[in-house]
């Protein structure tokens, strides 16, 4: 497969690179070179590359339009009033999607069991807090225990570099709080799956005054006041491998 060609959209390049790096049969974690490749592609991405107009609100909202769209058909993401997920692609090996946040919204502390996650802030400013479990080399993903802080309320403001987390490092358990309206493009490899023992778990954090930089995390229910709504992807058309499509 030609991974790059004249006129190929950035989202197509990103999909092709994910398919190449994460497709079934590739064992273990991606190499540093593969991660750098994906980060480079993400670094170049802007809201319009995934069908988002981040410059305006819905002053031109059309009658009977279920989602706020610009006159050019782009999603007016700054109009969202709750956390909104734009699903772009999901297969057994990876998913690509965008979370749009209104100012002040929080995505509660959650984990990414046995996953690599690449994230790119497309617009706006978001505060990140993240942890990694304090583990022994062979321990399995945990539901509670001692964790060390990986990022302590780090502010990420577009334009900025893409970040990456790994199963045991890089801040595998994280929360986001939107300082301004913002959007985060996420690649999850592999995606969440209850059947494959990769559920999404939410956590409370209990500080340990005597152990700065660490906290006890304990599993909790998804907060009742937290919901994510869906919005259709209206960006450049994506051509996917047929076995990937569902
Ligand atoms: Fe996450």
């Amino acid at each position: 497969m030609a991974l790059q060609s004249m006129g190929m959209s950035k989202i197509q390049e990103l999909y092709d690179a994910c398919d190449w790096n994460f497709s079934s049969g590739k064992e273990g974690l991606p190499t540093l070179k593969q991660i750098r490749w994906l980060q480079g592609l993400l670094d170049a991405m802007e809201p319009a590359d995934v069908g988002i107009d981040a410059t305006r609100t819905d002053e031109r909202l059309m009658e009977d339009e279920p989602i706020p769209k610009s006159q050019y058909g782009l999603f007016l993401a700054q109009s969202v009033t709750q956390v909104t997920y734009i699903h772009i692609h999901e297969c057994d090996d990876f998913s690509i999607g965008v979370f749009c946040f209104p100012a002040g919204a929080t995505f509660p502390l959650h984990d990414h069991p046995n996953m690599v996650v690449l994230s790119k802030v497309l617009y706006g400013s978001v505060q990140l807090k993240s942890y990694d479990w304090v583990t022994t080399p062979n321990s399995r993903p945990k539901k509670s225990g001692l964790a060390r802080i990986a990022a302590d309320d780090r502010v990420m403001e577009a334009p900025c570099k893409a970040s990456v987390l790994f199963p045991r490092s890089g801040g595998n358990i994280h929360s986001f709080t939107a300082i301004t309206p913002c959007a985060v493009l996420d690649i999850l490899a592999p995606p969440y799956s209850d059947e494959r023992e990769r559920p999404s778990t939410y956590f409370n954090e209990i500080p340990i005054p005597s152990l700065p930089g660490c906290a006890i995390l304990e599993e909790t229910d998804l907060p009742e006041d937290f919901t994510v709504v869906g919005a259709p992807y209206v960006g450049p058309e994506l051509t996917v491998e047929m076995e990937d499509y569902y």
Side-chain angles (χ1 to χ4, degrees), residues 144-184:
S144 67
L146 182 64
R148 64 177 172 278
I149 295 173
D152 195 2
D153 295 333
R154 179 193 304 159
V155 174
M156 300 189 297
E157 182 171 6
C160 60
K161 298 278 190 188
S163 59
V164 59
L165 64 82
F166 299 94
R168 294 173 185 276
S169 63
N172 185 277
I173 306 134
H174 65 193
S175 64
F176 291 110
T177 299
I179 299 171
T180 67
C182 61
V184 180

Side-chain angles (χ1 to χ4, degrees), residues 99 107 110-112 117 119 165 172 174 176 186 188 192:
F99 286 97
F107 200 119
H110 61 281
D111 66 348
H112 308 82
V117 179
S119 300
L165 64 82
N172 185 277
H174 65 193
F176 291 110
D186 263 357
L188 273 57
Y192 289 109

Side-chain angles (χ1 to χ4, degrees), residues 85-89 95-99 184-187:
Y85 183 66
I86 302 171
H87 169 91
I88 299 176
H89 176 75
S95 67
I96 304 174
V98 181
F99 286 97
V184 180
L185 172 57
D186 263 357
I187 299 169

Side-chain angles (χ1 to χ4, degrees), residues 114 131-149 166-170 172-173 214-215 217:
N114 294 322
Y131 292 91
D132 287 304
W133 295 116
V134 175
T135 61
T136 58
N138 295 321
S139 55
R140 292 165 59 84
K142 299 205 287 187
K143 298 293 185 187
S144 67
L146 182 64
R148 64 177 172 278
I149 295 173
F166 299 94
R168 294 173 185 276
S169 63
N172 185 277
I173 306 134
C214 289
L217 303 185

